[in-house]
Structures are given as C-alpha cells and as structure tokens.
Amino acid sequence: MEQTYRDSYQRTHLIGALLEKFDELLNERAVVSTAGRVMSRRKMGKVLFFNLADGEGNIQVFADISGLGQEEFSRLSNDVRIGDIVGVSGIVFKTRTEEKTIKCQSFSLLTSCLRSLPEKFHGLSDVETRYRQRYLDLIVNAETRNVFRKRSHIIKLMRKHLESNGFMEVETPIFQKNPCGASANPFVTHHDAKDIDLYLRISPETFLKQLIVGGMDRIYEIGKNFRNEGVDASHLQEFTMLEFYASYWNYCDNIEFVKWLIQQVLLGVMGSLELEYQGMSFDFRQWQTVEYRDLVLNDCGIDILNFETVDGLLAEITKQGVALGEIDPGISLGSLIDKLYKRVSRPRLIQPTVLLHHPAVLIPLARPNDQDPRVIDAFQILVNGWEIAKGYSELGDPILQRRLLEDQLALRHQGDSEAMFVDTDFLTSLEYGMPPVSGVGIGIDRLTAIATNQRNLADVVLFPLMG
C-alpha cells in the first residue's frame, strides 16, 4: 500500500466555497480541484464513492474506471483509506438523489493516515480524549469546529466594534515583577539571566493605566491571564480576557457600552439576543440591575456594610446559619465578603444582570462612590451565575491608591494569598496625573461558552490543561 506525504496541492476551491458556488460550476461544467480528509468510502463493483472533508464542509466524490482508467482506479481503490488526505480534480454533478458530487478525473494521495479514526466520537462520551486529542475532536465533530469558528468570530467582532469606537489595540507584559490588578494567587517563575523572580500576569490593568497616563485615549488588549486557583466548569487557570479603558468615561458610560458591545457580538455571531443555554433561555435585550449590598442582604439577612472586621462578620454569618465551608485563617474582610456573596447570591443571578456598587474593600483599584465611600463605582455583568464582565471608574488619587495597595500587601503578609502586590511603577505613573477613566474586563471564554451553549469552559478552549 502506497504511503506518501506531499509538499503541496493546488486547489481551485475550498469545499465550503465549492458547495456555495455549486450550481454555477455545474452550469459551466468547470473542472474543480479541492482537497480534504477521506471520512467515509464505499466501493460497489467498478465504482467508488467517498466523502471528502476539509473543515469548511464535506462533499461526495465519485470515481469509476471510465473516468480514471484501470490503473488509477485500482490505485485509488487499494491505496486510499479512511483518514487519508487526498486532492481531487474533476467536474461537479448531482446524483439521482440530488447529492452534490465531484466526478473524479484525477487524484493525489497527499498524506497517509496511519491510525484509524474513531467511528463514533460524541462529545460527552469521551471528554478526556476530546480535550487531550483535540485534533480528533475537530476531525470528527462538526459541532466542535463550529464552536471554535464562533469563538474566532466573537474576538473578531470585539476588535471591530472597539476600533470603530476609537480604541487602539496594545500589548503589555506577560511576565511581571509585581502582579497586580486582581485578587488572585499568581504563578511564579525565575529569570535566570537577570536572577529575579517573575510572575505570570493575573491582569494587564496597571500597565494599561500607565498607557492612559501617557496620553493614549482609548486602548484595549486581548490576551492571556494566569491565576493559580481552583479549576471548575467556570474557571480555568489560563484564560483569555478582553480589557479596555476609555479616558473621560465613568462606570455608568461603560455599563451602557459593555451591554451594547455584548449585544452587537451576539447578534453578529448568533443572529439573535435570545439564547438557549443548557435548558434555560437568556434574553440579552432585558437586563436586571441590582445593588450588591441589597442583594446579599435579601439573600441571607446580612448587611455587609455594617461590619468592619472579619470577626464581626464571621459572627453574623454564624448567627444567620450560613455555611461557608472552610475559612482560611488569614482571610481578609474583602475576601470574606466575596466568599459570602459567592455562596448565597451569585448562583442565583441567572438572567443577564448588572450588579452595582461593590464594597470598597473588594477592589482597591476602583474609585470610591462620592455619596457613600464605603462602596465603589463598580459593576459586574453576570449570566448563569458567571461573571462575564467587571468594570469600574478607576481610582486616580495616587496617595489613596498607594495606601490601599500597601494595605493589600499587609493582608498578603498576614496570610491572604489573593491580596494584591504593590506595583510601584504604576503608583509612580499616577503621580504624573491620570485623567478620569473607566476600564472593563470581559471573559472571552465565558462569553463564548454562553453563546455556544457549552457547559464547561474547557469546551471552548482548544487545548485546556490536563493533569
């Protein structure tokens, strides 16, 4: 049996384009050339049918002795197997059952497949194989290919709409000396040449704000963040974020822009603002708005703004009979409030929701509210109990910002592994003056999962980390 690995093949059409223009090509009796993987084949005497797929579509190929000649037909019959990659040239026609078909006039075996493709490869029946051998999933599962096309389209549309609104794409470091911008435990590595410890970024926030100080008016970045935390259906340790900042906007401006951006992306990719997700229906034309304080109070009877110490809040949590599970000895007040909210409130926020005015102890980089400095001018967009986006009016006061970050560092020394580091370069930049600005982070993986009806973020990441 022949095995071969060719270096190229000239195609006139991808299979998807060939199918779109089929009637025109049929009328012209044009000779077409395309290539793809053989997904099935059946021989009936002196004729052979096989299905050719290239990721954009699939088409039937018909071959017989009259079209190829005895020698080539025998070679096609004997040497080409399911899984092989083949180039085919011929004219198109429709069978008696109206199936679009290429009548093979010549072929080239381009790449031999040495392993058998799985006969049945349904997603949930072999999840680990799908993740570990994503290439097999992509070869056999049209649904998987469609999910990743939509993911690409989502990112493309985000860029398009941001740039049409005056945003410029930038890049900031993955390696950071002082990871800041989120409450998270970072991954650490070591730079041998400089002999310094570095961290994989948990957020690009403080670098993007330095660019705002430098006069860049509206900027965005799409890239990877890394957080050394637990993994579940809605959390991955390596994930993709869109983060953008607009000078002279506040959080209210950004709420409206983010809702509009999500709507435009969903319309462009899905064609509708009404989505079906795991047996539920989401309507992105309707957004409920709730206050963080009121939400937690209604869900467990605790007014979180009445407590200034961990011990006091813990006592009230015990009194109200809320089971939070294991509490780290060094937990901070902000982390405890966050844990309480995630236990009693967040799972209930199923429909598209705007959550407003988080307690100030939760986000030290956000601007305190003018009327009540115990809360910040912040918001989250939540769907299915997942945080899809978070944004706020940025804190521009360099003196207050330094104090808040130094407080965070003290909490880290006391045992809170998710407290922020002090980014001294960022603090220095603020002393030169940062204009009013609001920023937002949007989780690409989560938005894609919601849009494509995928239960687990690993289903929308091509190569999720496996143990």
Side-chain angles (χ1 to χ4, degrees), residues 66-78:
S66 66
L68 281 175
Q70 181 64 58
E71 183 178 348
E72 283 296 280
F73 181 77
S74 296
R75 192 167 70 88
L76 177 62
S77 300
N78 296 328

Side-chain angles (χ1 to χ4, degrees), residues 105-140:
Q105 295 176 334
S106 65
F107 77 95
S108 295
L109 176 57
L110 305 176
T111 302
S112 299
C113 177
L114 303 185
R115 292 177 179 259
S116 297
L117 298 180
E119 294 181 6
K120 293 182 180 179
F121 205 79
H122 301 297
L124 294 179
S125 65
D126 196 350
V127 174
E128 184 169 341
T129 300
R130 287 184 56 223
Y131 295 163
R132 288 187 183 277
Q133 296 177 280
R134 182 67 84 187
Y135 49 89
L136 284 182
D137 190 19
L138 291 166
I139 288 172
V140 187

Side-chain angles (χ1 to χ4, degrees), residues 36-91:
R37 190 180 296 273
V38 177
M39 301 304 297
S40 65
R41 52 169 278 162
R42 65 187 189 277
K43 185 179 180 183
M44 297 182 295
K46 296 182 178 181
V47 300
L48 177 67
F49 291 89
F50 59 93
N51 184 273
L52 204 64
D54 69 355
E56 298 296 323
N58 62 80
I59 192 168
Q60 178 174 265
V61 178
F62 166 82
D64 63 3
I65 292 176
S66 66
L68 281 175
Q70 181 64 58
E71 183 178 348
E72 283 296 280
F73 181 77
S74 296
R75 192 167 70 88
L76 177 62
S77 300
N78 296 328
D79 292 345
V80 175
R81 293 290 180 261
I82 292 174
D84 288 348
I85 297 173
V86 176
V88 170
S89 181
I91 61 172

Side-chain angles (χ1 to χ4, degrees), residues 48 98 106 182 212 245 266 270 303 362 424 430:
L48 177 67
E98 292 295 303
S106 65
I212 294 293
Y245 290 80
L266 293 179
M270 306 303 297
D303 188 343
L362 287 182
T424 54
L430 289 186

Side-chain angles (χ1 to χ4, degrees), residues 117 171 348 442:
L117 298 180
E171 295 175 285
R348 303 185 185 193
I442 298 178

Side-chain angles (χ1 to χ4, degrees), residues 88-106:
V88 170
S89 181
I91 61 172
V92 299
F93 74 100
K94 291 184 180 179
T95 65
R96 293 176 182 176
T97 59
E98 292 295 303
E99 183 166 358
K100 297 175 179 179
T101 306
I102 300 173
K103 183 175 182 179
C104 181
Q105 295 176 334
S106 65

